[in-house]
Amino acid sequence: MANQRHITIFAPALGQPDREPLGYSGLVEAVRNGQAQELLWNPDLRKVRVTLLDGRQSVVDVFPENPVLIQEADAAGVPLTIEDSHQQEAWAGLMVNLLLVALILVGLGFLLRRSAKAANRALGFGRSKPRLRAENDIRVCFEDVAGINEAKDELQEVVAFLKQPDRFTSIGARIPRGVLLVGPPGTGKTLLARAVAAEAGVEFFSISASEFVEMFVGVGASRVRDLFRQAKQKAPCIVFIDEIDAVGRQRGAGIGGGNDEREQTLNQLLTEMDGFEDNSGIILLAATNRPDVLDTALLRPGRFDRRVLVDLPDRPGREAILNVHARTRPMAPDVDLAAWACRTPGFSGADLANLLNEAAILTARARKQFIEDNHIMDALERVTMGLPAAPLQNSGKKWLIAYHEVGHALVATLLHQADDLDKVTLLPRSGGVGGFARFTPDEEVVDSGLVSRAKLQARMAVSMGGRAAELVVFGRQEITPGASRDIEAVTATAREMVTRYGFSSLGPVAWEGDQAEVFIGRDWLQQRPTYSKDTAKALDAEVQKLAKEALAAACSLLAGHRPLLDELTNQLVEEETIGGDQFRAVVEQYQGTTAPVQDSVGRDLVKGLPNKAE
């Protein structure tokens, strides 16, 4: 019965698949009957894989030693292969070891590369990394630099020397080795240096002075030497150092002196500019807005021979700057850039560029094709006053702010020496500004820097106009802190008039100097006042007197024009914005009577300040 079962399983003639597991006896029977085609024996796993004649395969568990199976396979001529798993395990272990060795080698290579880079950085730590621009890479010329014609004229000599040096050297002339560009931020000092290099047709090295100084000793001096070494290879060329006050500050200004890294860098720079070695063909341009802190050895002849003032542009200069920036922007035909130049006194070139850029952004946001006057106006208010906020509700706060701002505007309109009113509005701005009255500063005063005593008094009275309106309308018990910034400005102006300008009864004596910051401890022990306590009391009394006079003058003007004050406030609450021309037209049409001035101090000040309405 057993043989019949095995024959039934292995006989291919039956055509039935082997769905039962093949046991050891069945394996031996299949080998004996010639139904086995090939045997694969793994002694370690104790298994035999048999391949039958019909192509089927089966795995059979066997004993570690099988002499019967071996004899039957040998007698039947069935190939028997013994598989050695130890060899496969050995190969697998070898591959794992090789992979581990490869990972170790890769890691060592990565570490060696990092060490090499660190070594290179250490070796090149003292090398300078200036930005070199070839002649063709600089596309800024003098035509692109507007509003600073005097500075451009001063630098024409540098351009002429670089183009035609023989014309100067033939008669023994020597071009200045260094040109220091001095001016407020945003006036175009860096742009002017690039224009000089483009006009002269030479290569241009640019670097910031802060890139010289490091925490390691000797690095700054090494970088200065490397900078001039590179410049000598490209001579004639221009080396531009921006913000040179970072390394050019006065030496020995710290408490107890000093021998720090910055001073060593400055010493090396002084030696390279005018030392034993000749640096002909290298012109050093530097820019700073703090020339007062530079070392005197840096400014002597032979180093920075020339000091070119790059000041804020005047009205024609501002118009030229606006025209330069308007080349690449679509301007509406009715936009008058000359008028905008008149309305932006004190703006630098960077401020004007930012003004037109903000106007372009507002134009794109409004989906317009051309920049119009209203876009420039919104940009001007955004730049000067901040972003717009939510409008004020018709409440007591709105009326209070309206009286406050109209107080400023009305005092400025009535006083002859005050600046002209440009706009008064109740539209709030970010930063807690509930409304504002904007004035157009006198261009002549801004350009010259000379301001009269009467104009300073008028400015203080205008600043006190908001507090005066609150006093006249609401009374002393209802005033608010809204005039705190105005009072700070008045106090600062009054103190300068007394302590610096001599505009007081104490006489023309400069009791205080410039309120500059202490420079690295210099004169730290000498910040005590040079006057007595009695003089300090007298100075404080004079400052208080000037501030009280300004408030009294503003109160007198507003009290004498109370109906006009109420009318303008009602109009401002209704319209929220009143232009300067519209405001002045209402004042001129006013036919009311002026109330008598009750305060003698205010009456004297009003007498000294001509009334625009009279």
Side-chain angles (χ1 to χ4, degrees):
M1 295 296 295
N3 293 336
Q4 183 180 0
R5 181 173 59 85
H6 287 296
I7 294 173
T8 304
I9 294 174
F10 291 105
L14 297 178
Q16 295 180 357
D18 184 11
R19 298 188 180 275
E20 296 182 2
L22 185 64
Y24 180 76
S25 300
L27 175 62
V28 175
E29 187 69 20
V31 173
R32 184 179 300 157
N33 295 335
Q35 295 178 347
Q37 181 180 358
E38 183 182 4
L39 298 176
L40 180 61
W41 180 21
N42 192 327
D44 295 326
L45 298 179
R46 299 182 181 181
K47 293 181 181 295
V48 173
R49 179 181 296 276
V50 55
T51 303
L52 302 178
L53 294 176
D54 58 359
R56 291 180 301 168
Q57 292 185 351
S58 181
V59 177
V60 181
D61 294 332
V62 297
F63 297 103
E65 296 182 0
N66 294 279
V68 177
L69 180 61
I70 296 175
Q71 293 175 2
E72 293 293 340
D74 184 44
V78 178
L80 175 62
T81 303
I82 299 176
E83 185 179 12
D84 189 4
S85 60
H86 293 286
Q87 185 177 4
Q88 296 180 355
E89 293 177 358
W91 280 105
L94 179 61
M95 295 300 297
V96 172
N97 293 333
L98 291 177
L99 180 61
L100 181 61
V101 171
L103 291 176
I104 294 175
L105 293 177
V106 171
L108 290 175
F110 179 73
L111 293 177
L112 291 175
R113 289 184 60 184
R114 291 192 59 181
S115 301
K117 289 182 179 180
N120 292 333
R121 286 195 299 266
L123 294 175
F125 205 67
R127 296 178 183 176
S128 177
K129 299 178 181 179
R131 290 164 290 278
L132 174 62
R133 287 183 172 87
E135 174 187 354
N136 299 328
D137 295 338
I138 304 177
R139 302 177 181 178
V140 179
C141 56
F142 279 154
E143 295 180 358
D144 300 321
V145 183
I148 45 177
N149 295 327
E150 295 80 4
K152 290 193 293 186
D153 294 339
E154 288 286 340
L155 294 174
Q156 287 290 350
E157 295 182 1
V158 177
V159 175
F161 177 82
L162 291 173
K163 286 185 175 181
Q164 300 174 349
D166 297 337
R167 189 179 68 178
F168 295 88
T169 57
S170 61
I171 58 176
R174 182 179 61 85
I175 197 68
R177 295 191 178 185
V179 179
L180 183 63
L181 305 177
V182 180
T187 52
K189 299 182 290 294
T190 303
L191 190 66
L192 187 60
R194 295 178 59 189
V196 171
E199 293 286 342
V202 296
E203 293 186 342
F204 181 72
F205 290 89
S206 63
I207 192 172
S208 176
S210 60
E211 298 181 30
F212 289 116
V213 181
E214 293 284 352
M215 62 179 295
F216 301 103
V217 177
V219 173
S222 176
R223 290 182 176 179
V224 170
R225 290 190 296 269
D226 187 68
L227 172 63
F228 279 86
R229 180 188 60 80
Q230 296 181 41
K232 291 176 185 178
Q233 297 175 356
K234 301 291 184 178
C237 64
I238 291 177
V239 177
F240 176 66
I241 302 178
D242 198 8
E243 304 296 342
I244 195 173
D245 51 278
V247 297
R249 291 176 178 263
Q250 297 179 12
R251 292 168 291 181
I255 300 176
N259 190 28
D260 57 5
E261 172 66 10
R262 183 190 56 78
E263 292 189 3
Q264 298 300 323
T265 305
L266 175 59
N267 292 334
Q268 187 63 44
L269 180 62
L270 297 175
T271 304
E272 293 292 341
M273 291 188 67
D274 188 20
F276 287 101
E277 296 186 5
D278 186 17
N279 290 329
S280 59
I282 301 176
I283 296 180
L284 185 64
L285 294 181
T288 182
N289 51 16
R290 293 293 307 274
D292 55 311
V293 302
L294 295 180
D295 194 88
T296 54
L298 194 63
L299 302 177
R300 73 162 177 81
R303 290 186 176 126
F304 282 107
D305 307 85
R306 299 287 181 88
R307 180 183 298 185
V308 178
L309 179 61
V310 187
D311 208 349
L312 295 174
D314 53 6
R315 186 196 59 77
R318 293 193 297 273
E319 182 180 356
I321 293 173
L322 289 174
N323 286 321
V324 169
H325 293 290
R327 294 176 185 173
T328 57
R329 295 177 174 88
M331 308 298 295
D334 57 343
V335 173
D336 188 4
L337 295 180
W340 285 106
C342 296
R343 302 182 68 173
T344 54
F347 273 47
S348 65
D351 295 331
L352 295 173
N354 185 43
L355 175 64
L356 288 187
N357 183 63
E358 290 290 340
I361 293 175
L362 294 175
T363 303
R365 181 180 298 176
R367 299 184 182 277
K368 299 291 185 178
Q369 298 295 329
F370 298 95
I371 300 176
E372 301 176 356
D373 281 327
N374 60 330
H375 300 143
I376 303 179
M377 175 61 71
D378 294 340
L380 179 62
E381 293 183 357
R382 171 175 290 193
V383 170
T384 56
M385 303 302 299
L387 296 175
L392 296 173
Q393 301 297 325
N394 192 4
S395 60
K397 179 181 178 181
K398 185 174 184 179
W399 284 91
L400 176 63
I401 295 177
Y403 271 109
H404 184 99
E405 301 303 336
V406 170
H408 289 302
L410 185 55
V411 173
T413 305
L414 294 175
L415 293 181
H416 179 69
Q417 293 291 340
D419 296 328
D420 292 334
L421 176 67
D422 182 49
K423 177 182 180 181
V424 58
T425 181
L426 286 181
L427 297 178
R429 294 281 167 172
S430 60
V433 179
F436 60 90
R438 187 175 64 238
F439 304 95
T440 302
D442 189 350
E443 184 177 353
E444 183 179 354
V445 174
V446 173
D447 293 339
S448 64
L450 300 177
V451 57
S452 63
R453 178 178 180 178
K455 185 169 285 295
L456 289 175
Q457 288 178 311
R459 287 181 180 176
M460 290 192 298
V462 172
S463 298
M464 286 295 188
R467 170 58 62 86
E470 295 180 13
L471 287 172
V472 170
V473 176
F474 302 103
R476 186 174 298 275
Q477 298 299 325
E478 298 298 329
I479 59 176
T480 65
S484 59
R485 294 183 180 178
D486 301 329
I487 295 175
E488 291 178 1
V490 169
T491 304
T493 303
R495 189 159 193 87
E496 288 186 347
M497 292 175 63
V498 174
T499 60
R500 296 182 59 193
Y501 304 152
F503 292 165
S504 67
S505 60
L506 297 179
V509 180
W511 302 102
E512 295 178 359
D514 293 336
Q515 299 297 324
E517 297 180 358
V518 180
F519 172 59
I520 315 181
R522 183 191 63 191
D523 301 332
W524 182 62
L525 301 177
Q526 301 179 7
Q527 294 299 314
R528 296 175 297 177
T530 58
Y531 43 80
S532 64
K533 294 182 179 179
D534 295 336
T535 303
K537 293 181 180 179
L539 293 175
D540 293 339
E542 288 293 326
V543 172
Q544 294 177 9
K545 178 183 176 181
L546 290 176
K548 291 180 179 179
E549 287 178 354
L551 179 60
C555 290
S556 300
L557 287 173
L558 296 181
H561 297 80
R562 175 61 189 276
L564 178 59
L565 176 64
D566 295 336
E567 179 181 350
L568 289 170
T569 302
N570 293 332
Q571 184 176 352
L572 180 61
V573 171
E574 181 179 355
E575 300 180 7
E576 292 190 339
T577 299
I578 301 177
D581 295 336
Q582 181 183 357
F583 193 95
R584 285 184 288 270
V586 175
V587 175
E588 291 176 0
Q589 294 174 1
Y590 177 68
Q591 299 296 331
T593 58
T594 303
V597 178
Q598 301 297 332
D599 194 298
S600 60
V601 175
R603 181 174 61 252
D604 295 338
L605 181 57
V606 173
K607 287 182 180 179
L609 299 177
N611 194 323
K612 291 182 180 179
E614 295 176 353

